[in-house]
Amino acid sequence: MKRMPCLATFALAAAVVSGGCVSMMPPEPTPLELLMLQSREYEEDKQVLFSSVMTVFQDMGYTPTSADLETGFISAESAAQGGFNILDLLVDDTTVVQTRATAYIERIGEGTRVRLSFVEVRSTSSVAGQTDRRDVQVLDPMVYQNAFERIEQAIFVRSAN
């Protein structure tokens, strides 16, 4: 029985392993699934929801970068986080991670809709001056559920007064 050369065996194993990783990735959500994940409708006034979302973003550690009640758009970002990583020493790179949050609040019929979006921004720069940025939309349902629960609490506090 002949033995395959070591390089060919390694290449075959790498192809099998990498092919398995691709199939384990969850599929991208459809636009409707994304809308359902990121949106909630309320019977409250737009002003109440706008103020509640602003408060929640700040409570979650985001700094508002822009906000306009008329358009209903709020933009905010988290503090940048960069840490020492032994791998950074080996490749002469520095990585900074930040999350950006946006909210769009609009009047729909008798109610008001809030749509949130969270995006993780990963910026890398090297000693040689090369920079790279990778934006990845946060699709974890728990992130959105947590934010909407906080918004509902803020609405309750405002409505109780």
Side-chain angles (χ1 to χ4, degrees):
M1 179 173 186
K2 276 186 147 180
R3 298 180 97 186
M4 288 182 15
C6 185
L7 185 57
T9 303
F10 178 75
L12 180 62
V16 168
V17 169
S18 66
C21 291
V22 171
S23 65
M24 293 176 65
M25 299 275 300
E28 288 291 316
T30 65
L32 182 58
E33 290 171 333
L34 194 57
L35 179 67
M36 290 175 60
L37 173 70
Q38 296 178 330
S39 300
R40 296 290 185 280
E41 291 192 21
Y42 300 95
E43 294 178 5
E44 314 311 320
D45 183 62
K46 183 177 178 179
Q47 171 68 49
V48 169
L49 282 164
F50 190 88
S51 298
S52 297
V53 171
M54 282 291 287
T55 299
V56 167
F57 276 178
Q58 290 175 320
D59 289 349
M60 293 174 71
Y62 291 92
T63 302
T65 55
S66 68
D68 184 5
L69 176 60
E70 188 176 324
T71 63
F73 190 75
I74 301 170
S75 157
E77 56 188 31
S78 71
Q81 297 177 355
F84 175 74
N85 185 336
I86 193 69
L87 185 59
D88 292 344
L89 285 177
L90 299 173
V91 294
D92 292 328
D93 281 350
T94 302
T95 300
V96 175
V97 179
Q98 188 174 36
T99 303
R100 295 204 174 138
T102 58
Y104 178 56
I105 302 152
E106 66 179 326
R107 202 71 185 143
I108 304 274
E110 296 293 315
T112 307
R113 177 186 295 160
V114 176
R115 183 165 185 179
L116 304 177
S117 177
F118 295 96
V119 175
E120 182 183 88
V121 179
R122 184 175 299 270
S123 301
T124 306
S125 59
S126 70
V127 174
Q130 183 176 359
T131 61
D132 187 28
R133 180 174 141 177
R134 183 170 173 236
D135 296 2
V136 178
Q137 191 164 26
V138 175
L139 298 174
D140 182 356
M142 293 305 293
V143 170
Y144 294 94
Q145 181 178 339
N146 178 45
F148 283 118
E149 286 174 0
R150 289 175 178 227
I151 290 169
E152 288 161 12
Q153 290 171 359
I155 291 169
F156 178 77
V157 169
R158 279 180 173 70
S159 299
N161 292 332

